[in-house]
Amino acid sequence: MTDPVISPDGKSMWTGEEWIPITTDSNNTLVSLHDSVVTGDINTEINYATTINKNIINDNETTIRSHMKSMIENIKSGNSAQAFEIYERAKQIDFELAKGIYEKEFYDNIVSLLYNNAFNFCESVINTKFTAHKDSNRGQIQIIQYRENYNTAVNMINDLINLSPNYLPSYFLMIKMVQSNGIDFNKIARLNAINVVYEKILEIDANNHEAKINLERNIRLIAKKDNTFLLFSMVMVLIVILFTLPWYL
């Protein structure tokens, strides 16, 4: 059997009477071989490009994961600012990949570590011991240092709230800090500030029992204090009036 005559462009075959298009047929060795040669070159190029892309993605993922681990270590060491600079560098490698790995695999752990750092620092501020009278030079220095530490603690909590707005432990930690500050707040000021935080907690979790109970209690305490102050003011006014009346009345 003689070999079929193929057109120069490889698309047609001579039957002896006419040119007919070559169709793919698993039983047609000639046609299958021709197709495999043509598509083989194309497939080789595509596979080569795909391999390169996969290698790039794998390299990027490895680098980004390394960045995330370095971020974790920095947070554990208390270097939160440096940690988030590392995250920004990871996003410059591949923004979507870095963001996805961060949110799916590292976010919860990072929030937990940041909270632990804030909690430990807040505890050290709350347990501050004043060893000198507040009006003495040494006492004033201690108060200044306390205020600096207090503001640092509050900023740590605020940063955590900005990172994870629905993370309730941060809000309760803020309440604990305000409750402990008898240097800058009187009782009513503390209660009012704390109530603002309880209201925020209830916006996030309307059924939070602790926030509900304490908010209602604080409102009653403030109202009672206001009534006591009003009564005291009225008594003082009456005393002044009595002492200013003519004695002969």
Side-chain angles (χ1 to χ4, degrees):
M1 180 178 180
T2 60
D3 293 336
V5 179
I6 306 300
S7 63
D9 60 8
K11 296 180 179 181
S12 302
M13 182 174 61
W14 179 251
T15 65
E17 298 179 356
E18 60 179 343
W19 292 98
I20 61 172
I22 296 176
T23 58
T24 301
D25 185 348
S26 59
N27 294 322
N28 191 323
T29 305
L30 177 63
V31 174
S32 297
L33 177 61
H34 184 270
D35 286 347
S36 65
V37 171
V38 174
T39 57
D41 293 338
I42 296 174
N43 287 337
T44 300
E45 293 177 2
I46 293 175
N47 290 337
Y48 178 69
T50 301
T51 301
I52 292 176
N53 289 337
K54 285 182 178 179
N55 288 339
I56 291 172
I57 292 172
N58 290 337
D59 289 345
N60 286 350
E61 185 172 346
T62 300
T63 303
I64 288 170
R65 287 185 187 280
S66 177
H67 277 62
M68 295 294 106
K69 292 175 182 177
S70 179
M71 186 180 180
I72 292 290
E73 291 304 314
N74 273 271
I75 292 175
K76 287 180 179 179
S77 301
N79 301 320
S80 299
Q82 178 68 24
F84 282 94
E85 288 177 6
I86 293 172
Y87 178 42
E88 291 303 315
R89 292 199 293 272
K91 289 194 289 187
Q92 291 174 4
I93 298 170
D94 187 319
F95 181 87
E96 293 299 332
L97 183 60
K99 189 169 181 289
I101 292 174
Y102 168 81
E103 292 178 351
K104 293 178 182 178
E105 300 180 33
F106 290 88
Y107 174 79
D108 290 341
N109 191 21
I110 286 171
V111 170
S112 178
L113 289 171
L114 289 173
Y115 175 78
N116 288 338
N117 289 349
F119 180 87
N120 291 333
F121 189 80
C122 287
E123 284 291 302
S124 69
V125 177
I126 291 170
N127 294 323
T128 298
K129 303 297 182 184
F130 295 95
T131 58
H133 191 276
K134 65 177 182 179
D135 294 329
S136 68
N137 288 337
R138 185 179 176 188
Q140 286 298 306
I141 292 173
Q142 288 179 346
I143 289 174
I144 291 171
Q145 184 62 56
Y146 169 80
R147 285 176 172 152
E148 289 178 355
N149 291 338
Y150 178 86
N151 289 334
T152 299
V154 169
N155 287 335
M156 291 175 73
I157 298 171
N158 281 328
D159 288 343
L160 186 52
I161 289 173
N162 289 333
L163 179 66
S164 184
N166 295 328
Y167 190 67
L168 294 183
S170 300
Y171 296 95
F172 284 105
L173 185 58
M174 181 70 81
I175 289 170
K176 193 174 182 179
M177 284 302 300
V178 175
Q179 284 175 332
S180 70
N181 189 347
I183 299 295
D184 300 308
F185 303 108
N186 60 34
K187 183 175 181 179
I188 295 301
R190 285 200 301 269
L191 289 175
N192 282 321
I194 289 169
N195 284 352
V196 171
V197 184
Y198 278 134
E199 288 170 355
K200 181 61 181 178
I201 291 172
L202 291 172
E203 287 180 13
I204 299 169
D205 178 11
N207 297 317
N208 191 282
H209 180 72
E210 182 177 351
K212 275 185 177 181
I213 296 299
N214 290 334
L215 178 60
E216 292 170 358
R217 181 201 62 192
N218 289 352
I219 291 173
R220 288 195 301 270
L221 289 173
I222 293 171
K224 183 178 179 180
K225 192 75 174 179
D226 289 343
N227 291 336
T228 302
F229 178 77
L230 179 61
L231 180 60
F232 176 78
S233 300
M234 292 175 64
V235 170
M236 292 302 297
V237 169
L238 287 173
I239 292 173
V240 171
I241 291 174
L242 289 173
F243 275 94
T244 56
L245 287 174
W247 64 271
Y248 53 82
L249 291 180

